[in-house]
Amino acid sequence: MQTASPFATRALGEKLAQHLRAGDVLLLLGDLGAGKSELTRGIAKGLGVTATVASPSFTIMNVYEEGRVPLYHFDWYRLNDVEELYEMGMDEYLGGDGVAVVEWPSQCPEAIPESYLEVKITPVSETEREITLTPCGDFRRISLEANDE
């Protein structure tokens, strides 16, 4: 799928949220500035979160509980090791009672669960993004194509 603007990337995230349920884990792959936080803002809106969604770069995780299911937004970019995640109770959030969105999962591969949706965001131009959804483990297939609804 392609999006043509940050607004369209958020809209795609909002559409994706309609297919998400408690226990789902999404791993967002993409370079700095690819649109991971924009997509997460759309997911948050689609889940019913009204708070401002900021990248948790310095806090590692932000929790938003006001939606239809909680949203756990992780940013593993600054992690030194998996112990930091376990100390903050990460195992309660990944695969727990909400939707977990993880930016920079490659920083802590040993913490990645067996089942997740890989969301790869690739810049095509200054504003356009190619977004690919790949279910891993026993994660179900999600299609956002207009003719599949």
Side-chain angles (χ1 to χ4, degrees), residues 10-73:
R10 286 190 304 273
L12 184 75
E14 192 172 346
K15 190 174 179 183
L16 174 58
Q18 304 311 309
H19 299 271
L20 300 177
R21 54 187 183 228
D24 285 350
V25 176
L26 283 70
L27 303 185
L28 304 188
L29 309 180
D31 293 335
L32 200 60
K36 297 180 297 294
S37 292
E38 290 297 339
L39 186 75
T40 302
R41 287 182 188 98
I43 291 169
K45 183 177 180 187
L47 292 175
V49 173
T50 57
T52 300
V53 175
S55 180
S57 295
F58 295 99
T59 58
I60 301 176
M61 180 183 69
N62 290 332
V63 176
Y64 303 94
E65 294 184 329
E66 77 237 35
R68 66 176 171 83
V69 296
L71 173 63
Y72 307 120
H73 183 196

Side-chain angles (χ1 to χ4, degrees), residues 93-115:
Y93 298 105
L94 288 184
D97 64 347
V99 171
V101 174
V102 180
E103 296 187 33
W104 301 103
S106 61
Q107 293 299 104
C108 210
E110 60 271 32
I112 295 173
E114 290 182 21
S115 179

Side-chain angles (χ1 to χ4, degrees), residues 1-3 9 11-20 24-29 35 39-40 43 101 116-122 129-137 139-146 148-149:
M1 295 163 278
Q2 274 200 304
T3 61
T9 299
L12 184 75
E14 192 172 346
K15 190 174 179 183
L16 174 58
Q18 304 311 309
H19 299 271
L20 300 177
D24 285 350
V25 176
L26 283 70
L27 303 185
L28 304 188
L29 309 180
L39 186 75
T40 302
I43 291 169
V101 174
Y116 58 89
L117 181 65
E118 179 184 280
V119 181
K120 186 174 183 182
I121 305 171
T122 307
R129 301 293 184 259
E130 178 69 32
I131 300 174
T132 308
L133 306 178
T134 306
C136 298
F139 200 97
R140 68 201 173 281
R141 181 180 176 272
I142 294 178
S143 178
L144 303 179
E145 301 299 325
D148 288 345
E149 295 185 71

